[in-house]
Amino acid sequence: EGEMESPRTFREKCTLCYGSMSSGLQKFHDTSFCFWSVVILMQLFVLIIFIASIVMCILAGIKAFVLAGCSEVYILGDNTVCTEALDTIRDFVGSFFVGADGQPLTSVCSDERLLTCDLIRQKMAKSGGFTVIASFAASMISLQLIVDSAMRHEQARWRRAAHALYLKEAAATGEGAAASSSAA
């Protein structure tokens, strides 16, 4: 009769988890147990950020691999080769035009963004570097924040304990001094 039925659906499990957490936070919000539980939860969050940063680093590596493969296709990376290829096509097909009809082929590759490897190289090099640096910095700064919070919590806890001990000793010496002065 007094047994609770275990949750079956995902929603019921989330509701039970939320209820337990909110009950624990309401009753034990000022204890060390609650603080360290929140610290562990935040470390889990930092772990997820770190895993995401590793995934982003892998993606940056894939971008670098694509960039290395792109450099093998010379026509997509060199303005001279691109211009010569277009000139060859124009010689073969007389009605071949890229851009405006009278535009010279020397500027067509850069004007029409036909040098895709250069575009990829410029954009991916910056984005890959920024992604790697920023993702690791975010996870390290988050971890530092958690460690700093834990350090400050422990300092405050020991400060309160030392103050309580001081008050206890002061009360004991005050009672002892009062008893010795009344005996005299």
Side-chain angles (χ1 to χ4, degrees), residues 86-136:
L86 291 177
D87 193 34
T88 304
I89 294 172
R90 184 176 280 174
D91 289 343
F92 182 70
V93 179
S95 62
F96 178 74
F97 292 103
V98 179
D101 286 341
Q103 185 177 9
L105 288 180
T106 55
S107 63
V108 167
C109 290
S110 59
D111 290 348
E112 298 296 326
R113 295 183 164 195
L114 298 177
L115 302 173
T116 42
C117 283
D118 283 346
L119 293 172
I120 291 172
R121 185 177 298 117
Q122 291 170 359
K123 291 184 180 182
M124 288 207 187
K126 286 181 184 177
S127 71
F130 289 149
T131 300
V132 170
I133 291 169
S135 62
F136 278 116

Side-chain angles (χ1 to χ4, degrees), residues 56-99:
M56 288 182 187
C57 289
I58 290 171
L59 290 176
I62 291 171
K63 286 180 182 181
F65 182 71
V66 167
L67 185 61
C70 184
S71 66
E72 296 296 321
V73 183
Y74 297 112
I75 195 169
L76 298 177
D78 187 12
N79 191 29
T80 308
V81 175
C82 178
T83 303
E84 289 175 1
L86 291 177
D87 193 34
T88 304
I89 294 172
R90 184 176 280 174
D91 289 343
F92 182 70
V93 179
S95 62
F96 178 74
F97 292 103
V98 179

Side-chain angles (χ1 to χ4, degrees), residues 11-26:
R11 182 182 173 134
E12 290 174 352
K13 290 177 183 179
C14 289
T15 304
L16 180 65
C17 182
Y18 175 75
S20 299
M21 286 177 60
S22 63
S23 171
L25 288 175
Q26 288 173 357

Side-chain angles (χ1 to χ4, degrees), residues 141-177:
I141 290 170
S142 299
L143 183 63
Q144 177 61 33
L145 182 65
I146 292 171
V147 169
D148 188 52
S149 297
M151 183 182 71
R152 289 178 187 268
H153 170 77
E154 284 299 308
Q155 286 175 345
R157 186 174 73 92
W158 283 104
R159 204 175 300 124
R160 281 192 302 268
H163 183 67
L165 184 62
Y166 170 76
L167 291 177
K168 185 178 178 182
E169 287 179 6
T173 57
E175 290 174 6

Side-chain angles (χ1 to χ4, degrees), residues 18-73:
Y18 175 75
S20 299
M21 286 177 60
S22 63
S23 171
L25 288 175
Q26 288 173 357
K27 293 178 183 176
F28 305 107
H29 68 282
D30 59 345
T31 63
S32 290
F33 177 73
C34 178
F35 175 78
W36 289 110
S37 297
V38 170
V39 166
I40 290 172
L41 183 67
M42 293 306 295
Q43 284 181 336
L44 182 64
F45 179 69
V46 169
L47 178 66
I48 291 169
I49 291 173
F50 185 71
I51 289 171
S53 71
I54 289 175
V55 168
M56 288 182 187
C57 289
I58 290 171
L59 290 176
I62 291 171
K63 286 180 182 181
F65 182 71
V66 167
L67 185 61
C70 184
S71 66
E72 296 296 321
V73 183

